[in-house]
Amino acid sequence: MTQLFDLEHGEEFGMFVLIKQADVRVARNGNPFIAFRFQDPSGAMDGMYWSATDKEVATFQAGKVAFLRGTRDTYQGRPQVKIEGLRLAEEGEPNDPTMYVEHIEVKQEDLEKELEDALFLIKEPNISRVVRKILHQVGDDFYTYPAAKRNHHALAGGLVLHTLTMVRIAKGLLEIYPHLNASLLIGGILLHDVGKTTELSGPISTEYTLKGKMMGHIVIVTEMIDRACQEIGIDPETEAIILLKHVVLAHHGKQEYGSPILPQILEAEVIHFIDDLDAKINMISDALETTEVGSFSAQIYPLDRREYYKPTFK
Amino acid sequence: MTQLFDLEHGEEFGMFVLIKQADVRVARNGNPFIAFRFQDPSGAMDGMYWSATDKEVATFQAGKVAFLRGTRDTYQGRPQVKIEGLRLAEEGEPNDPTMYVEHIEVKQEDLEKELEDALFLIKEPNISRVVRKILHQVGDDFYTYPAAKRNHHALAGGLVLHTLTMVRIAKGLLEIYPHLNASLLIGGILLHDVGKTTELSGPISTEYTLKGKMMGHIVIVTEMIDRACQEIGIDPETEAIILLKHVVLAHHGKQEYGSPILPQILEAEVIHFIDDLDAKINMISDALETTEVGSFSAQIYPLDRREYYKPTFK
Amino acid sequence: MTQLFDLEHGEEFGMFVLIKQADVRVARNGNPFIAFRFQDPSGAMDGMYWSATDKEVATFQAGKVAFLRGTRDTYQGRPQVKIEGLRLAEEGEPNDPTMYVEHIEVKQEDLEKELEDALFLIKEPNISRVVRKILHQVGDDFYTYPAAKRNHHALAGGLVLHTLTMVRIAKGLLEIYPHLNASLLIGGILLHDVGKTTELSGPISTEYTLKGKMMGHIVIVTEMIDRACQEIGIDPETEAIILLKHVVLAHHGKQEYGSPILPQILEAEVIHFIDDLDAKINMISDALETTEVGSFSAQIYPLDRREYYKPTFK
Amino acid sequence: MTQLFDLEHGEEFGMFVLIKQADVRVARNGNPFIAFRFQDPSGAMDGMYWSATDKEVATFQAGKVAFLRGTRDTYQGRPQVKIEGLRLAEEGEPNDPTMYVEHIEVKQEDLEKELEDALFLIKEPNISRVVRKILHQVGDDFYTYPAAKRNHHALAGGLVLHTLTMVRIAKGLLEIYPHLNASLLIGGILLHDVGKTTELSGPISTEYTLKGKMMGHIVIVTEMIDRACQEIGIDPETEAIILLKHVVLAHHGKQEYGSPILPQILEAEVIHFIDDLDAKINMISDALETTEVGSFSAQIYPLDRREYYKPTFK
Amino acid sequence: MTQLFDLEHGEEFGMFVLIKQADVRVARNGNPFIAFRFQDPSGAMDGMYWSATDKEVATFQAGKVAFLRGTRDTYQGRPQVKIEGLRLAEEGEPNDPTMYVEHIEVKQEDLEKELEDALFLIKEPNISRVVRKILHQVGDDFYTYPAAKRNHHALAGGLVLHTLTMVRIAKGLLEIYPHLNASLLIGGILLHDVGKTTELSGPISTEYTLKGKMMGHIVIVTEMIDRACQEIGIDPETEAIILLKHVVLAHHGKQEYGSPILPQILEAEVIHFIDDLDAKINMISDALETTEVGSFSAQIYPLDRREYYKPTFK
Amino acid sequence: MTQLFDLEHGEEFGMFVLIKQADVRVARNGNPFIAFRFQDPSGAMDGMYWSATDKEVATFQAGKVAFLRGTRDTYQGRPQVKIEGLRLAEEGEPNDPTMYVEHIEVKQEDLEKELEDALFLIKEPNISRVVRKILHQVGDDFYTYPAAKRNHHALAGGLVLHTLTMVRIAKGLLEIYPHLNASLLIGGILLHDVGKTTELSGPISTEYTLKGKMMGHIVIVTEMIDRACQEIGIDPETEAIILLKHVVLAHHGKQEYGSPILPQILEAEVIHFIDDLDAKINMISDALETTEVGSFSAQIYPLDRREYYKPTFK
């Protein structure tokens, strides 16, 4: 079966694809349009959907499978789809999103296993109990929420992927810098973005909730920690709990990025770094995914609109 | 009895005074010194205490009455004390601090009355109950804590004075802009700095607590609101409570000043303004207090080290 | 008679309205369009007028009454007019702008009375004479000019409203902080923006004059003060006049906002604060005017593009 | 007769020198000290005077001749004087400052001639009359004032030297860019800093005047232009006068440097450049004056504390 | 023969013109358009070419002669061409670009002569040999390359014009400040932008090369100096060569403008100034070229989008 | 034998220690002092040496063993040495620095082995040859130089430790993000700071060289790469070499930190991150080394003067 990256320039086609991204923007002529990224096992390709109606915006969400008709075009050295028709896949059609993801290596049970291993690295008993309590309360949302409304890990499942990738980096650092406090480092990573499950509306058509806009996910997490302490019966004024709140509050690293205080323990600094590193690698890799070798990617807005080059050699 | 501002330049003296400020700084030669501001009913005057020992630093705290021997000097156009001897007032000596304050117009019962009046402006029932609950829990600390470790309202009692001055301004604005939401405006003002009772160690020898340094008074207040809701039995996810937390979180006005989020309701913007206005008027007025008319004050560090002029006319 | 806020979503209508705002912008396709805000006694509603001709731009000015045909639409949760026809009201039609203003509570004679009261607060005789002289020279322009070309108080009459609102706030502060110098505070407020009558072309189709662009209203006011001194026969080198110029020069508070010098007397700082506070309350209130309760306003550009929430409770 | 740069390291001496700079600073131990730069025809050399009394600060002013006893020392690769004694030169001693200046090539009559030539480049009659009027009013102050309290051209006569050096650069640019408007360029340069004669107290013991601090020299110049117009009988609202005021107001180039408006004509931009260029060359050359070839100068504070290298080759 | 500035508003015409600028931009509707500036001996005039095809973008390059049909229009007070047809001039038609340049005063042999004169100002032998070697290697590219992809001197030949204008300014400064080191000043100017011949693809359809994007012209020049030393047999570790590299590395003046180090010799500071001055004069003059006297230019993006006024008097 | 951390508060002692840091600062009284950090196997402790002579500054270098007499003091909660006498260890005394290092786990042969392993990760042949060539040329300097003059890894051997720690982190990331280009990542890390062997004078009494100050280590490395290519006979214009230079040029991540260009390939971004992470962990860990658990460290200047807390639990 023909796939996206089998197409020649100018070739017309009709095929099922996964809608990986669907950003709604408003053109200066007043009409909204949708910037799509479609995906199948061969890779991901962008396409613009001009003059979208409100109903189309509501229908064509990231995470859905759709039947796409169009022509394979090129825009600034990058393959692109010129969209000619789009409808959602229906019952009886191949509408399972997991069929279209590039490398289906991640199963939820593997993630749960990895999470369980990470929890064992937390030696401080109160931190351990609070983290387990909160993750239990969040439940499946931890596996289905995106890590952000846009930019990095904005896909369903982005939260768990981002969190566990950070854990993997942290494990490496714990070997290189053995004086790092594993309880604060791993505990802080596991909780740092868990407030997104309250800040955002959900994995599909992600919006900010009122509480999310008014308080932000950083403060929401400290509130979750405080409530968990009361439910478990832990004194929230102990050093370990105060420091756990601290690494969460400080994890954006700078006040202008929304941390009310700056890192004042080593582990807070390290969590901020790992978080930033994984977010940036994710954004750049995402942009390079649709870039041909020997070319520059599209501009990446949060990275000063820089374009990144994809080398021709390994 | 001779008072500070009765002294001529070069005149030697010995008298009881109140220690209004006692800032410890470290000179480049490695020795700490104390920058004092002494006060009696005639006004306030500065004096430097070089090479202070640890014990002297611990003894000569703001709020204490002391017997001061010295010479009335002048420094950059401002009267100053050249300290020759200093000891705390003892039993049997005139050691009641209130005797030395310039205008003893404020009694705690008047402040309590003013606070009670303010509480009646809060119409929204949940905000009203939460604010009353927290102020009840804080108790006398609300009347004895400073509003900051240094800069503005750093004296004992600074917190209540700063808070109630803001309420007075807010009342005026509610008449000028009747569409302002009184519940959020007054409730937010009454709580905005109440976390300082946890952030700071107390009215004397004020230091930051571990929780204060690691979380900051802004987040501490939202935690107090959340706990109060649970103790009273109010759902903390209602709009009024979320917005009350919001005006507290946003009251520093900018993220680089420690607010994790920016004002997103009108009342949050207004509280930030009133807070900033009273703090700056307090700092400048404090500096002008020891400035002669027709001269410039000492540099005020938090205001770009500016010097303020004291006009000769009314 | 049906009014703007009586209309249902999707309802077609034709009615007389006041053009409250008419901002001309250029779309990327090269064509100008007009962003209108229409008003009648029921409230204000926006509407875009695409591909406006030069003649239409010249005709449909803020302050005119027009007959508007269209459909009541919704855009991002806010009611909006889809414009189908627009023409100015003619002779014999209801073309008196005052009929369409929401709350006609302000009469010029009331404003004149309020101004006269304010003038009596100025005790310093030279400041008093200079302020009276300049306001006399400016004459009716003080009552008809806007306070700005856009953003806050950009309506005809905005200058006097903004100035007198600031006076009201100042009166409250004079009671709370009795050491404030009333002559400088009130005199400075009354003059601070009076240079706008030279900087801007007039209340209708407001543009910058050459002198306005090249010198700015701040320096223009100091020039007006200097000339008034010479006409009255006051020595412009006296302290009171220098300080009056200072509070005007410093009222933008920061050099990057166009003040050549920073506030160096307490009253300069306070005027800057009141000015900023009234401008921001005005901008936010203006945006909330077309926002439904429980929703967010449109982005406010000068406030970091923030959206403000309108609470559902009082 | 032995001169400063004839001395060997460690050599003791006594000689008459000119006090070129005398900056008073306060050490952290509370004592003021004077950072001197001494000069004789062989060059300039620095020396610190620790624990200066108020009387010494008042006595040892820049521009005075003094008898200096000390030892030739070295500090961070730069020759320095270790001061052992200092007294002012008395009657009958060689106390004419001009004897100690390195290259007495500049006579006032030459400067007057150069100024007269510059005035002839101003073709626009109103600008010409205003510039001549103001320079006539300023009179000798133009030749005796410094260009600043510190940093660049802070010596007596600095104002005229800085102004005429800028004229020389401007003449070169008028040949290279013949479309530059000579009237605005030369007129603007001649007036740009003339407000310093009001802003500063005088060539000796230079301080800011009250008017200087409260209004700044930039606005003072525009006031001088406005008054000159009235005295001559020129309409101050003509384009040429408005633009003349503009180039003065804009000559600091950025609002954060004190210009209330930014350059909006080409000549304003050019004046800002020339002003900045001459100031920086002056500061660096001044620092290199006491630096040996192949070494780095002392840190220059207004230039990010950079140190500048003095090459060994020509 | 009718020329551009002979046309009346609204007049239709067909004539040969030079394409002076051809900036491709993308409209929000997704279509590229070309912002043209056309030129003939009477002056330069802008015109927008909407919805350009890829082929048209590739065809209508700056530097080509074209036959233009259109109407003389006006946009925001500036004459403009409404394009109705455009095709390149063919064989046999008047297609020599030099016929359309306003003032053909510059011949390459004059430039070569001027360059030769400049080289004689370099007294230091190693700098002299390196500069001559590199200019020899660059060859004709020095006379044909633009100085930038956009903004200032973006025309073919811009590099040599910008460089030699800077030399002219430098010569004037060498007379005013005779202690400037001519070898470093002139040598540094001649080389400072020569890396653009590697950074950019060429005078037509100028793009960045891979090396240009990845290293930048500043570092490329230091590499050229290093290689030239090796080819000539000069020790690259001598002070003169290190300082020559330094003035090139530092010539952007600030790190945020791409200089890895800040100026640390006087000549580096001066080169930065001259470079910036000529670039800004060029940008503003370019904008004023199409502005009528008594009006404001279009916004200049790199200068904070400021508009510059063109005075009515000389 | 008594060691540093065996001492009681107030105890006098005499013992051999390693001088770990010796920062020379100038007190405001004009006298230099030395901020020492002494080390023995029990840990590291600070001490100030007031009024140091030039000779003492030259003698007491980091890396020397000295006999220290003094009293164990406390300063702001941290143990400190009050120095009473200091002399270098002589022949016959225990003057081998390695005896005093806390954990002598690193042998040069282990580092060489680790480096060799890292080199095998570079698959691209030209990068591999260039990296090997340069490391061969640098020779032992790679093992003896510090990584900086101050702040992080400022000890002898700091360069190799910093570089190889970065390699360890990179290896972990290569497993987590397998699409990273190992040749650029490892090659870039190994070379990124190797220019410090030219920028700095050596491991003892580290100063900047003229070339170091004038060009900076970043540009020096690209020059080393370019020269190595010529010596080996590799074309320096190939993509792999250009990108290798790029990752070095961009590794400071921001232009204001001295990178002439910003990262434009993924590996450049990652190298910048790892570099920054290891530097910050090193600075904080260094400060925590002399901090007691449950206390805050001294202020760390390059980290906004923040103080870091050392938790009491593991």
Side-chain angles (χ1 to χ4, degrees), chain C residues 67-288:
Chain C
F67 185 77
L68 167 69
R69 275 190 315 102
T71 310
R72 203 278 211 179
D73 202 356
T74 303
Y75 179 68
Q76 296 188 344
R78 286 188 299 283
Q80 205 180 40
V81 173
K82 194 164 160 195
I83 303 172
E84 276 143 29
L86 191 71
R87 66 164 176 80
L88 289 194
E90 294 167 12
E91 281 293 328
E93 291 183 331
N95 63 358
D96 176 2
T98 61
M99 296 166 57
Y100 299 89
V101 179
E102 272 177 276
H103 306 286
I104 306 274
E105 82 240 279
V106 205
K107 299 185 201 154
Q108 180 158 339
E109 62 191 54
D110 291 345
L111 296 171
E112 285 171 358
K113 175 73 178 54
E114 194 170 346
L115 175 61
E116 201 53 40
D117 289 349
L119 286 166
F120 277 107
L121 294 172
I122 306 176
K123 303 299 180 203
E124 207 286 330
N126 288 332
I127 294 178
S128 174
R129 290 164 69 203
V130 164
V131 173
R132 286 172 188 275
K133 175 78 180 178
I134 289 172
L135 290 176
H136 181 76
Q137 289 172 329
V138 169
D140 271 359
D141 285 355
F142 188 67
Y143 295 95
T144 61
Y145 261 69
K149 196 182 154 196
R150 63 165 53 87
N151 294 336
H152 78 97
H153 297 95
L155 258 197
L159 176 59
V160 68
L161 280 175
H162 173 52
T163 302
L164 289 180
T165 305
M166 284 176 65
V167 167
R168 277 173 228 162
I169 300 174
K171 283 172 156 179
L173 296 181
L174 281 166
E175 285 179 30
I176 297 167
Y177 307 102
H179 60 292
L180 284 171
N181 185 306
S183 301
L184 286 166
L185 188 62
I186 302 295
I189 288 172
L190 290 177
L191 294 189
H192 85 291
D193 266 356
V194 89
K196 303 239 174 170
T197 59
T198 297
E199 187 190 38
L200 299 175
S201 60
I204 305 293
S205 307
T206 308
E207 291 301 329
Y208 289 99
T209 62
L210 180 64
K211 184 166 183 175
K213 280 196 96 157
M214 289 292 155
M215 297 183 56
H217 70 276
I218 283 186
V219 174
I220 288 171
V221 177
T222 60
E223 205 171 84
M224 292 167 89
I225 295 172
D226 203 58
R227 291 178 185 176
C229 284
Q230 291 168 50
E231 288 164 17
I232 308 173
I234 291 173
D235 177 3
E237 308 303 337
T238 57
E239 180 195 356
I241 299 302
I242 288 171
L243 296 185
L244 181 63
K245 288 176 182 172
H246 173 74
V247 298
V248 170
L249 288 172
H251 88 265
H252 280 194
K254 294 194 177 173
Q255 291 182 313
E256 52 268 48
Y257 300 160
S259 271
I261 43 171
L262 297 178
Q264 289 170 95
I265 60 173
L266 174 56
E267 290 72 20
E269 199 81 46
V270 173
I271 291 174
H272 161 57
F273 254 89
I274 303 178
D275 184 25
D276 204 13
L277 175 62
D278 183 51
K280 288 202 175 129
I281 290 182
N282 185 271
M283 275 189 284
I284 299 170
S285 303
D286 214 49
L288 291 176

Side-chain angles (χ1 to χ4, degrees), chain A residues 211 213-215 219 223 226-227 230 236-237 242-243 245-246 249 255-256 258 260-261 264-265, chain B residues 211 213-215 219 222-223 226-227 230 236-237 242-243 245-246 249 255-256 258 260-261 264-265:
Chain A
K211 183 165 184 178
K213 279 197 98 159
M214 288 294 155
M215 297 182 59
V219 174
E223 205 171 83
D226 203 60
R227 292 179 185 176
Q230 291 168 49
E237 307 304 336
I242 289 172
L243 296 186
K245 289 176 182 173
H246 172 74
L249 288 172
Q255 290 182 314
E256 52 268 49
I261 44 171
Q264 290 171 93
I265 61 173
Chain B
K211 183 166 183 176
K213 278 197 100 159
M214 288 292 154
M215 296 183 58
V219 174
T222 58
E223 205 170 82
D226 203 59
R227 293 179 185 176
Q230 291 168 48
E237 307 304 336
I242 289 171
L243 296 185
K245 289 176 182 173
H246 173 74
L249 288 172
Q255 291 182 313
E256 51 269 48
I261 45 171
Q264 289 170 94
I265 62 173

Side-chain angles (χ1 to χ4, degrees), chain F residues 36-53:
Chain F
F36 280 114
R37 174 163 296 179
F38 301 112
Q39 181 163 18
D40 73 5
S42 71
M45 210 174 278
D46 291 335
M48 298 297 125
Y49 194 93
W50 300 109
S51 298
T53 64

Side-chain angles (χ1 to χ4, degrees), chain E residues 29-49:
Chain E
N29 64 7
N31 294 329
F33 68 95
I34 313 178
F36 281 113
R37 176 163 294 181
F38 302 111
Q39 180 163 20
D40 73 6
S42 71
M45 209 173 277
D46 292 336
M48 299 298 125
Y49 193 94

Side-chain angles (χ1 to χ4, degrees), chain A residues 1-27:
Chain A
M1 200 174 67
T2 311
Q3 296 191 331
L4 281 171
F5 276 77
D6 300 334
L7 297 165
E8 305 285 312
H9 177 84
E11 186 176 344
E12 297 192 7
F13 67 92
M15 65 173 73
F16 289 97
V17 294
L18 174 68
I19 298 174
K20 188 176 181 185
Q21 291 178 9
D23 289 349
V24 180
R25 301 177 189 149
V26 177

Side-chain angles (χ1 to χ4, degrees), chain B residues 10-25:
Chain B
E11 186 175 344
E12 296 190 8
F13 66 93
M15 65 174 74
F16 288 98
V17 293
L18 174 68
I19 298 175
K20 189 178 181 185
Q21 292 177 10
D23 288 348
V24 181
R25 300 174 190 153

Side-chain angles (χ1 to χ4, degrees), chain D residues 41-294:
Chain D
S42 71
M45 209 174 278
D46 292 335
M48 298 299 124
Y49 193 94
W50 301 109
S51 299
T53 64
D54 282 3
K55 194 178 156 197
E56 288 166 338
V57 166
T59 305
F60 299 129
Q61 300 280 355
K64 302 272 183 181
V65 173
F67 185 76
L68 167 69
R69 275 190 317 100
T71 310
R72 203 280 213 179
D73 202 356
T74 303
Y75 179 68
Q76 296 188 345
R78 285 188 299 282
Q80 206 180 38
V81 173
K82 196 166 159 192
I83 303 172
E84 276 141 30
L86 191 70
R87 66 164 177 80
L88 288 196
E90 295 167 10
E91 280 293 327
E93 292 184 331
N95 64 357
D96 177 1
T98 62
M99 296 166 58
Y100 300 88
V101 178
E102 272 177 277
H103 305 286
I104 306 274
E105 82 240 279
V106 205
K107 301 185 199 151
Q108 179 157 342
E109 63 191 52
D110 291 346
L111 296 171
E112 284 171 358
K113 175 73 177 57
E114 194 170 346
L115 175 60
E116 200 54 39
D117 287 351
L119 285 166
F120 276 107
L121 293 171
I122 305 175
K123 302 301 179 202
E124 206 286 332
N126 287 332
I127 294 178
S128 175
R129 291 165 70 201
V130 164
V131 174
R132 286 171 188 274
K133 176 78 181 178
I134 290 172
L135 289 176
H136 181 75
Q137 289 172 328
V138 170
D140 270 358
D141 285 356
F142 188 67
Y143 294 94
T144 61
Y145 261 70
K149 196 183 155 194
R150 64 164 55 87
N151 293 336
H152 80 96
H153 297 96
L155 257 196
L159 176 59
V160 68
L161 280 176
H162 173 51
T163 302
L164 288 181
T165 305
M166 284 176 64
V167 168
R168 278 174 227 159
I169 300 174
K171 281 172 157 179
L173 296 180
L174 281 166
E175 283 179 30
I176 296 168
Y177 306 101
H179 61 290
L180 284 170
N181 185 306
S183 301
L184 287 167
L185 188 63
I186 302 294
I189 288 171
L190 291 176
L191 294 190
H192 85 291
D193 266 357
V194 88
K196 304 241 173 167
T197 59
T198 296
E199 187 190 37
L200 299 174
S201 60
I204 306 294
S205 307
T206 308
E207 291 300 330
Y208 287 98
T209 61
L210 179 65
K211 183 166 182 175
K213 278 196 98 157
M214 288 293 156
M215 297 182 57
H217 70 278
I218 283 186
V219 173
I220 289 171
V221 176
T222 59
E223 203 171 85
M224 293 167 91
I225 295 172
D226 203 59
R227 291 178 186 177
C229 285
Q230 290 168 51
E231 288 163 18
I232 309 173
I234 291 173
D235 176 4
E237 308 304 336
T238 58
E239 181 196 354
I241 297 303
I242 288 171
L243 295 186
L244 181 64
K245 288 176 181 171
H246 173 74
V247 299
V248 170
L249 288 172
H251 89 265
H252 279 194
K254 293 194 179 173
Q255 291 182 312
E256 51 269 48
Y257 300 159
S259 272
I261 45 171
L262 297 177
Q264 289 171 94
I265 62 172
L266 175 56
E267 290 72 22
E269 200 80 47
V270 173
I271 291 174
H272 161 57
F273 255 89
I274 303 178
D275 184 27
D276 204 12
L277 175 62
D278 183 50
K280 288 201 175 130
I281 290 182
N282 185 271
M283 276 189 284
I284 300 170
S285 303
D286 213 50
L288 291 176
E289 203 178 287
T290 57
T291 305
E292 297 184 62
V293 296

Side-chain angles (χ1 to χ4, degrees), chain E residues 211 213-215 219 223 226-227 230 236-237 242-243 245-246 249 255-256 258 260-261 264-265, chain F residues 211 213-215 219 222-223 226-227 230 236-237 242-243 245-246 249 255-256 258 260-261 264-265:
Chain E
K211 184 166 183 177
K213 278 197 99 159
M214 288 292 154
M215 297 182 59
V219 174
E223 203 170 84
D226 203 59
R227 292 179 185 177
Q230 291 169 50
E237 307 304 335
I242 288 172
L243 296 186
K245 288 176 182 172
H246 173 74
L249 288 173
Q255 291 183 313
E256 51 269 48
I261 45 171
Q264 289 171 94
I265 61 172
Chain F
K211 184 164 182 176
K213 277 196 100 159
M214 289 293 155
M215 296 183 57
V219 174
T222 60
E223 206 171 80
D226 203 58
R227 291 179 186 178
Q230 291 168 50
E237 308 304 335
I242 289 172
L243 296 186
K245 288 176 182 172
H246 172 74
L249 288 171
Q255 292 183 312
E256 52 269 46
I261 44 170
Q264 289 169 93
I265 60 172

